[in-house]
Amino acid sequence: MSEVYEKLLNCLACVRKKTDFVPKAAIVLGSGLGDYAEAVRVEYELPYGEIEGFPVSTVPGHAGKFIFGFIDDIPVVCMKGRVHYYEGYPVSDVVLPTRLMKLMGAQILFLTNAAGGVNTSFHAGDLMLIRDHISVFAPNPLIGANIDELGVRFPDMSTIYDRKLQQLIRGTARENGIYLQEGVYAQLTGPSFESPAEIRMMRTLGCDAVGMSTVVEAIAANHMGMKVCGISCISNLAAGMTDNPLTHEEVQEAADMAAPNFKKLVTESVKGMKQFIV
Ligand code: HPA
């Protein structure tokens, strides 16, 4: 058995010693959605630190735990805080939580993040439905021996973000009067923000928003056959698009300001996911 798979199974065994909760949907809470758990009828919380071998985030504002509970009557697991590749973890650790949530039972993965707007028609505070992604600037999480128990060696990535879930989120935004941009998200490694030349390059490549997460998780989830969807909160316009230097604090503040709509869109969309769960 591969080391990566063994570690994953050990983490699952550790979780199962604490709770037998079976989530049907998994939600990864990015910056700005930190106190999202308000929308969840919480059953059980599990700090990442209590799971042996689980990668624990070092970023301020990303303190980590799994929150198990219900949105309506849908059993969900929320990740409050995620680890990023730039923290120095191997990418197999970065996607371990995603894989673990699938093994717990989650069939749907709802990814959220804060991102820099690259599309010139975007504004800070906009929400963007992720239609597709660019992964080539981040390490591929499937490099290494394939874990056959999880998925195939060469998984198709032509519809990483499930079309029906996209349609659901679009409709939910419309019904709730939430303006929703759409576009392509690219993951770069960070932790430095991009240079203006890099942002011009990303725009030329067809990218609408950039960030430091999400794509590797989406690939790992797709490999395992999960239905994936995602929303970015455009916390700032990317480097060179305004005269302001970028700071983590600014990203966090803007994400906090967009939080009410962000939360509403996530919660109402999850309620509509019942039809996609078996
Ligand atoms: N670049 C990369 N990641 C980000 C940004 C950005 O401008 N804003 C929030 N996350």
Side-chain angles (χ1 to χ4, degrees):
M1 191 191 297
S2 82
E3 258 174 51
V4 173
Y5 190 51
E6 196 174 344
K7 185 169 181 178
L8 180 62
L9 293 184
N10 285 339
C11 285
L12 180 66
C14 216
V15 170
R16 284 299 169 230
K17 273 187 209 144
K18 310 261 182 189
T19 178
D20 55 6
F21 192 93
V22 176
K24 294 293 185 184
I27 307 169
V28 181
L29 306 173
S31 307
L33 278 177
D35 58 351
Y36 176 76
E38 287 162 11
V40 180
R41 212 162 69 242
V42 179
E43 290 276 311
Y44 186 69
E45 297 195 345
L46 179 56
Y48 300 150
E50 292 183 18
I51 306 168
E52 213 178 304
F54 195 92
V56 179
S57 175
T58 57
V59 188
H62 283 82
K65 60 182 172 186
F66 281 123
I67 299 164
F68 297 93
F70 293 89
I71 293 177
D72 255 11
D73 56 354
I74 300 177
V76 299
V77 55
C78 299
M79 285 188 71
K80 184 177 157 92
R82 53 149 72 91
V83 293
H84 298 80
Y85 183 62
Y86 60 73
E87 292 176 74
Y89 291 99
V91 65
S92 58
D93 271 359
V94 177
V95 300
L96 182 147
T98 301
R99 288 172 163 165
L100 184 56
M101 293 190 292
K102 167 70 161 60
L103 296 190
M104 289 178 201
Q107 300 165 6
I108 292 176
L109 177 66
F110 199 149
L111 294 161
T112 70
N113 59 47
V118 172
N119 186 314
T120 53
S121 71
F122 287 5
H123 301 93
D126 282 353
L127 299 179
M128 185 192 89
L129 175 69
I130 304 176
R131 270 213 295 242
D132 201 351
H133 74 208
I134 293 173
S135 76
V136 294
F137 300 103
N140 193 300
L142 307 182
I143 288 174
N146 185 51
I147 305 175
D148 297 331
E149 292 86 348
L150 300 183
V152 297
R153 171 76 291 187
F154 300 107
D156 175 57
M157 294 280 152
S158 20
T159 43
I160 302 170
Y161 300 87
D162 186 88
R163 292 221 176 95
K164 288 187 176 150
L165 290 178
Q166 287 187 49
Q167 203 47 42
L168 168 71
I169 295 169
R170 231 176 250 130
T172 306
R174 205 179 311 117
E175 283 159 22
N176 287 279
I178 296 169
Y179 185 65
L180 188 61
Q181 303 277 16
E182 298 195 12
V184 173
Y185 174 94
Q187 177 175 350
L188 287 84
T189 65
S192 48
F193 289 113
E194 302 71 31
S195 70
E198 285 160 352
I199 292 302
R200 287 194 298 275
M201 171 187 78
M202 296 311 290
R203 191 177 300 118
T204 304
L205 295 179
C207 163
D208 298 292
V210 286
M212 305 175 192
S213 68
T214 300
V215 164
V216 291
E217 293 146 293
I219 291 174
N222 206 62
H223 177 233
M224 292 182 290
M226 295 179 92
K227 287 189 197 304
V228 180
C229 60
I231 301 174
S232 293
C233 171
I234 304 299
S235 54
N236 57 280
L237 290 182
M241 295 174 69
T242 69
D243 292 333
N244 309 331
L246 301 179
T247 66
H248 179 61
E249 290 69 30
E250 178 202 348
V251 166
Q252 206 114 45
E253 273 168 34
D256 287 345
M257 288 220 318
N261 269 349
F262 204 2
K263 286 181 197 172
K264 178 137 191 115
L265 184 54
V266 171
T267 308
E268 296 307 313
S269 298
V270 170
K271 288 179 186 172
M273 286 177 184
K274 217 172 295 180
Q275 55 187 307
F276 303 115
I277 290 168
V278 286

PDB file of all heavy atoms in Angstrom, residues 5-15 51-52:
ATOM      1  N   TYR A   5      -1.623   6.591   0.864  1.00  0.00           N
ATOM      2  CA  TYR A   5      -2.918   5.945   1.124  1.00  0.00           C
ATOM      3  C   TYR A   5      -2.978   5.430   2.560  1.00  0.00           C
ATOM      4  O   TYR A   5      -4.014   5.546   3.235  1.00  0.00           O
ATOM      5  CB  TYR A   5      -3.132   4.809   0.114  1.00  0.00           C
ATOM      6  CG  TYR A   5      -4.535   4.242   0.143  1.00  0.00           C
ATOM      7  CD1 TYR A   5      -5.648   5.072   0.068  1.00  0.00           C
ATOM      8  CD2 TYR A   5      -4.745   2.867   0.233  1.00  0.00           C
ATOM      9  CE1 TYR A   5      -6.934   4.559   0.097  1.00  0.00           C
ATOM     10  CE2 TYR A   5      -6.029   2.341   0.252  1.00  0.00           C
ATOM     11  CZ  TYR A   5      -7.120   3.188   0.189  1.00  0.00           C
ATOM     12  OH  TYR A   5      -8.397   2.681   0.212  1.00  0.00           O
ATOM     13  N   GLU A   6      -1.863   4.903   3.021  1.00  0.00           N
ATOM     14  CA  GLU A   6      -1.817   4.389   4.392  1.00  0.00           C
ATOM     15  C   GLU A   6      -2.095   5.511   5.398  1.00  0.00           C
ATOM     16  O   GLU A   6      -2.866   5.355   6.345  1.00  0.00           O
ATOM     17  CB  GLU A   6      -0.438   3.767   4.637  1.00  0.00           C
ATOM     18  CG  GLU A   6      -0.397   2.884   5.852  1.00  0.00           C
ATOM     19  CD  GLU A   6       0.943   2.163   6.001  1.00  0.00           C
ATOM     20  OE1 GLU A   6       1.720   2.115   5.018  1.00  0.00           O
ATOM     21  OE2 GLU A   6       1.199   1.697   7.113  1.00  0.00           O
ATOM     22  N   LYS A   7      -1.453   6.671   5.140  1.00  0.00           N
ATOM     23  CA  LYS A   7      -1.661   7.825   6.025  1.00  0.00           C
ATOM     24  C   LYS A   7      -3.127   8.260   6.025  1.00  0.00           C
ATOM     25  O   LYS A   7      -3.709   8.573   7.070  1.00  0.00           O
ATOM     26  CB  LYS A   7      -0.758   8.974   5.532  1.00  0.00           C
ATOM     27  CG  LYS A   7      -0.758  10.198   6.404  1.00  0.00           C
ATOM     28  CD  LYS A   7       0.357  11.127   5.952  1.00  0.00           C
ATOM     29  CE  LYS A   7       0.431  12.364   6.796  1.00  0.00           C
ATOM     30  NZ  LYS A   7       1.540  13.234   6.386  1.00  0.00           N
ATOM     31  N   LEU A   8      -3.713   8.239   4.837  1.00  0.00           N
ATOM     32  CA  LEU A   8      -5.119   8.614   4.683  1.00  0.00           C
ATOM     33  C   LEU A   8      -6.017   7.662   5.489  1.00  0.00           C
ATOM     34  O   LEU A   8      -6.911   8.103   6.225  1.00  0.00           O
ATOM     35  CB  LEU A   8      -5.464   8.561   3.188  1.00  0.00           C
ATOM     36  CG  LEU A   8      -6.876   8.902   2.751  1.00  0.00           C
ATOM     37  CD1 LEU A   8      -7.224  10.331   3.109  1.00  0.00           C
ATOM     38  CD2 LEU A   8      -7.000   8.702   1.229  1.00  0.00           C
ATOM     39  N   LEU A   9      -5.762   6.375   5.378  1.00  0.00           N
ATOM     40  CA  LEU A   9      -6.577   5.394   6.108  1.00  0.00           C
ATOM     41  C   LEU A   9      -6.383   5.527   7.612  1.00  0.00           C
ATOM     42  O   LEU A   9      -7.336   5.359   8.386  1.00  0.00           O
ATOM     43  CB  LEU A   9      -6.242   3.970   5.640  1.00  0.00           C
ATOM     44  CG  LEU A   9      -6.640   3.629   4.198  1.00  0.00           C
ATOM     45  CD1 LEU A   9      -6.341   2.162   3.900  1.00  0.00           C
ATOM     46  CD2 LEU A   9      -8.098   3.940   3.907  1.00  0.00           C
ATOM     47  N   ASN A  10      -5.162   5.859   8.024  1.00  0.00           N
ATOM     48  CA  ASN A  10      -4.922   6.082   9.460  1.00  0.00           C
ATOM     49  C   ASN A  10      -5.718   7.278   9.963  1.00  0.00           C
ATOM     50  O   ASN A  10      -6.275   7.246  11.059  1.00  0.00           O
ATOM     51  CB  ASN A  10      -3.426   6.300   9.730  1.00  0.00           C
ATOM     52  CG  ASN A  10      -2.650   4.993   9.650  1.00  0.00           C
ATOM     53  OD1 ASN A  10      -3.233   3.913   9.781  1.00  0.00           O
ATOM     54  ND2 ASN A  10      -1.346   5.081   9.422  1.00  0.00           N
ATOM     55  N   CYS A  11      -5.743   8.356   9.144  1.00  0.00           N
ATOM     56  CA  CYS A  11      -6.534   9.540   9.529  1.00  0.00           C
ATOM     57  C   CYS A  11      -8.014   9.177   9.605  1.00  0.00           C
ATOM     58  O   CYS A  11      -8.724   9.609  10.528  1.00  0.00           O
ATOM     59  CB  CYS A  11      -6.331  10.680   8.524  1.00  0.00           C
ATOM     60  SG  CYS A  11      -4.742  11.498   8.686  1.00  0.00           S
ATOM     61  N   LEU A  12      -8.480   8.373   8.659  1.00  0.00           N
ATOM     62  CA  LEU A  12      -9.894   7.965   8.673  1.00  0.00           C
ATOM     63  C   LEU A  12     -10.200   7.162   9.945  1.00  0.00           C
ATOM     64  O   LEU A  12     -11.220   7.406  10.603  1.00  0.00           O
ATOM     65  CB  LEU A  12     -10.216   7.135   7.426  1.00  0.00           C
ATOM     66  CG  LEU A  12     -11.672   6.662   7.332  1.00  0.00           C
ATOM     67  CD1 LEU A  12     -12.622   7.840   7.166  1.00  0.00           C
ATOM     68  CD2 LEU A  12     -11.854   5.672   6.174  1.00  0.00           C
ATOM     69  N   ALA A  13      -9.298   6.270  10.281  1.00  0.00           N
ATOM     70  CA  ALA A  13      -9.506   5.453  11.496  1.00  0.00           C
ATOM     71  C   ALA A  13      -9.568   6.357  12.724  1.00  0.00           C
ATOM     72  O   ALA A  13     -10.392   6.164  13.622  1.00  0.00           O
ATOM     73  CB  ALA A  13      -8.383   4.425  11.622  1.00  0.00           C
ATOM     74  N   CYS A  14      -8.714   7.375  12.743  1.00  0.00           N
ATOM     75  CA  CYS A  14      -8.665   8.332  13.847  1.00  0.00           C
ATOM     76  C   CYS A  14      -9.996   9.100  13.949  1.00  0.00           C
ATOM     77  O   CYS A  14     -10.543   9.258  15.037  1.00  0.00           O
ATOM     78  CB  CYS A  14      -7.520   9.301  13.561  1.00  0.00           C
ATOM     79  SG  CYS A  14      -6.649   9.837  14.998  1.00  0.00           S
ATOM     80  N   VAL A  15     -10.511   9.548  12.806  1.00  0.00           N
ATOM     81  CA  VAL A  15     -11.797  10.263  12.788  1.00  0.00           C
ATOM     82  C   VAL A  15     -12.902   9.336  13.284  1.00  0.00           C
ATOM     83  O   VAL A  15     -13.756   9.726  14.087  1.00  0.00           O
ATOM     84  CB  VAL A  15     -12.127  10.777  11.360  1.00  0.00           C
ATOM     85  CG1 VAL A  15     -13.557  11.300  11.288  1.00  0.00           C
ATOM     86  CG2 VAL A  15     -11.139  11.853  10.932  1.00  0.00           C
ATOM     87  N   ILE A  51      -6.265  14.736  14.946  1.00  0.00           N
ATOM     88  CA  ILE A  51      -6.190  13.645  13.965  1.00  0.00           C
ATOM     89  C   ILE A  51      -4.708  13.394  13.667  1.00  0.00           C
ATOM     90  O   ILE A  51      -4.036  14.260  13.099  1.00  0.00           O
ATOM     91  CB  ILE A  51      -6.936  14.014  12.660  1.00  0.00           C
ATOM     92  CG1 ILE A  51      -8.372  14.434  12.974  1.00  0.00           C
ATOM     93  CG2 ILE A  51      -6.906  12.854  11.676  1.00  0.00           C
ATOM     94  CD1 ILE A  51      -9.090  15.089  11.808  1.00  0.00           C
ATOM     95  N   GLU A  52      -4.253  12.242  14.031  1.00  0.00           N
ATOM     96  CA  GLU A  52      -2.829  11.930  13.907  1.00  0.00           C
ATOM     97  C   GLU A  52      -2.375  11.980  12.443  1.00  0.00           C
ATOM     98  O   GLU A  52      -3.002  11.349  11.579  1.00  0.00           O
ATOM     99  CB  GLU A  52      -2.601  10.518  14.447  1.00  0.00           C
ATOM    100  CG  GLU A  52      -1.252  10.335  15.100  1.00  0.00           C
ATOM    101  CD  GLU A  52      -1.129   8.927  15.657  1.00  0.00           C
ATOM    102  OE1 GLU A  52      -2.017   8.543  16.470  1.00  0.00           O
ATOM    103  OE2 GLU A  52      -0.203   8.224  15.268  1.00  0.00           O
TER     104      GLU A  52
END
